[in-house]
Amino acid sequence: MIKNGIDCIEQYDSSFRGKRLGLITSVAGLTAGFESTINVLHQKYHLAAMFSPEHGVRGNVPAGGMVDTYTDSVTGVKVYSLYSGDSHRMTREMLDAVDMVVYDIQDVGTRYYTYLYTMLYALEDCAGAGKEFVILDRVNPLGDRVEGNVLKPEFKSFVGGFPLAMRYGLTIGEFAGMADDVLGLHAQLSVIPVEGWKRDMLYPETGRCWIPPSMGLPGFDAALMYPGLCLFEGTNLSEGRGTTRPFMEIGAPFVDARELTDAMQAKGLKGVAFTTAYFTPAASKYEGEACQGVNLYVTDMREVSPVEVGMTLLYEIMDRYGEEARFLPPVKEGGRQFIELLCGSDILTRQKKSLSELLEEFGGESRSFSEQKKRYHLYE
């Protein structure tokens, strides 16, 4: 079995002894034996504080829900929020409570995932405060492959805080090294590496059970399609939240399931099949309303190109239902539309290129990023 950083922590025991540790983790922060990283650090060392990302350290907060500062009932350790309405940053109070910050969250290899920027902001804050920052590295479930465009600086947000490709092909430890170098942070950064992982491995090939890193990604197929299907969060289409198949079924009350399914099947996209979807979300968009659309099924996890699939489906829906299908307005007046923040550019809202032009441009950017990232690889 592949070993993540937490599974190898005893080899680095001296690095943690005698220090006040602060832990950033989530519900998927587990050892190969299904023990939480919280318990490991609390039992073996001085766990002085925890820091909560989106969804909370115990995974009990829904997507986008604000996290309050509180005391953990299991350990008695104070949990500071890094996902509140005020800020995602570490304050002086938080940093004064610890000597070292440890990060252990399962990443999903996709630019929009907020855990990435919780890590990045903490890395920046620790660098500024002279605190050690240690990443217990984990495999990238999507392997080494790169897809999609690279975020443009003017579209920076908490769903895109660094110029990464949509599917970026780095572990969280490798990304930290890249960010530290590119941003010139000079952080006291250490990475406890994964053992036994080959970077072209996809998650089902690691021998590890899939532990949902958040409620919206209950299985590997959803995580695999997330780089392309997450874009529907910026539209008035349901991306499947509130159903048993988030990011694996797309639809709305105004969609004709058979019509859209036939159209998508006819495109011959590799590694994916489409069937009709009839669903009523129990939460999120169209809660309690009957929707129609498409179900997606991954038939070949190595052949499928999630970004191409997502963009092709988005273009097809916008072409067919343009009077009803639309991009959501900005959350804040004068702000950017959410689709622009997810896409990392205005290519869908202002440039309005054809699908073939868009995919060609994305391909060029992904190839360039794939070369750029190689210097930060920790694994063969």
Side-chain angles (χ1 to χ4, degrees):
M1 181 181 289
I2 307 303
K3 291 184 177 181
N4 285 320
I6 183 60
D7 301 311
C8 308
I9 198 168
E10 289 190 1
Q11 300 174 38
Y12 302 85
D13 183 77
S14 61
S15 298
F16 301 98
R17 290 285 174 196
K19 295 175 182 175
R20 297 172 302 156
L21 306 183
L23 174 63
I24 305 173
T25 193
S26 72
V27 68
L30 298 173
T31 68
F34 301 98
E35 185 176 9
S36 76
T37 300
I38 296 172
N39 290 348
V40 172
L41 296 193
H42 182 58
Q43 291 168 7
K44 292 177 65 69
Y45 308 109
H46 179 194
L47 182 60
M50 289 190 280
F51 305 101
S52 175
E54 185 178 9
H55 304 295
V57 296
R58 302 287 183 182
N60 60 328
V61 182
M66 295 299 103
V67 180
D68 295 324
T69 294
Y70 64 98
T71 299
D72 180 54
S73 61
V74 178
T75 61
V77 172
K78 190 169 185 177
V79 182
Y80 295 94
S81 175
L82 298 180
Y83 197 81
S84 68
D86 299 326
S87 175
H88 303 308
R89 291 287 183 175
M90 304 186 84
T91 64
R92 174 57 61 183
E93 176 192 2
M94 299 178 194
L95 289 166
D96 283 347
V98 301
D99 302 310
M100 171 191 288
V101 173
V102 181
Y103 181 95
D104 185 28
I105 294 181
Q106 178 60 61
D107 185 35
V108 298
T110 302
R111 186 179 70 214
Y112 331 118
Y113 216 46
T114 64
Y115 292 159
L116 273 178
Y117 310 110
T118 294
M119 186 285 293
L120 178 59
Y121 288 5
L123 179 65
E124 291 176 334
D125 295 338
C126 286
K131 300 287 184 176
E132 293 180 77
F133 193 84
V134 176
I135 289 183
L136 304 178
D137 210 6
R138 289 182 173 267
V139 303
N140 182 330
L142 307 189
D144 189 52
R145 184 169 169 180
V146 174
E147 291 185 56
N149 70 336
V150 175
L151 178 133
K152 309 303 181 289
E154 60 269 33
F155 295 89
K156 185 177 177 181
S157 75
F158 203 58
V159 291
F162 191 86
L164 294 167
M166 292 173 168
R167 177 180 179 178
Y168 51 80
L170 295 166
T171 69
I172 192 70
E174 290 174 330
F175 168 57
M178 182 183 202
D180 184 56
D181 180 45
V182 171
L183 299 177
L185 300 179
H186 306 292
Q188 297 180 49
L189 171 66
S190 301
V191 178
I192 295 183
V194 176
E195 291 186 1
W197 183 68
K198 302 297 182 183
R199 64 178 317 105
D200 66 339
M201 284 182 177
L202 298 177
Y203 201 86
E205 298 166 330
T206 66
R208 298 184 69 103
C209 291
W210 178 261
I211 307 297
S214 57
M215 291 167 280
L217 299 173
F220 170 71
D221 283 0
L224 179 59
M225 298 309 299
Y226 186 64
L229 277 296
C230 181
L231 294 169
F232 283 91
E233 290 196 306
T235 74
N236 68 336
L237 277 290
S238 168
E239 66 279 0
R241 288 193 184 274
T243 78
T244 59
R245 307 195 76 241
F247 303 108
M248 294 299 288
E249 59 185 1
I250 303 294
F254 53 79
V255 172
D256 182 298
R258 174 51 59 193
E259 177 183 79
L260 181 59
T261 300
D262 288 347
M264 291 305 298
Q265 276 290 88
K267 295 183 184 298
L269 293 168
K270 293 180 180 179
V272 65
F274 300 87
T275 65
T276 55
Y278 301 90
F279 60 96
T280 302
S284 195
K285 298 174 191 171
Y286 302 115
E287 179 179 351
E289 293 186 56
C291 296
Q292 295 188 35
V294 291
N295 274 305
L296 292 91
Y297 293 93
V298 175
T299 59
D300 190 319
M301 64 183 183
R302 291 202 169 274
E303 283 286 333
V304 69
S305 298
V307 173
E308 180 183 6
V309 171
M311 285 298 182
T312 302
L313 179 57
L314 180 61
Y315 268 68
E316 182 64 31
I317 289 174
M318 290 298 179
D319 286 346
R320 285 182 176 274
Y321 306 104
E323 293 185 1
E324 297 171 288
R326 60 185 184 275
F327 298 127
L328 297 178
V331 175
K332 297 180 180 179
E333 186 175 352
R336 294 194 180 278
Q337 290 177 263
F338 195 47
I339 191 69
E340 293 179 329
L341 300 180
L342 289 170
C343 198
S345 77
D346 58 5
I347 195 168
L348 291 172
T349 57
R350 301 182 192 278
Q351 299 181 44
K352 298 182 179 179
K353 298 188 177 185
S354 69
L355 178 61
S356 60
E357 290 172 332
L358 177 142
L359 292 177
E360 182 177 358
E361 183 171 321
F362 278 18
E365 292 188 31
S366 62
R367 287 189 293 272
S368 177
F369 183 81
S370 187
E371 288 300 313
Q372 177 192 358
K373 77 183 181 72
K374 288 181 179 179
R375 63 182 294 190
Y376 303 104
H377 287 180
L378 300 175
Y379 312 96
E380 295 296 327

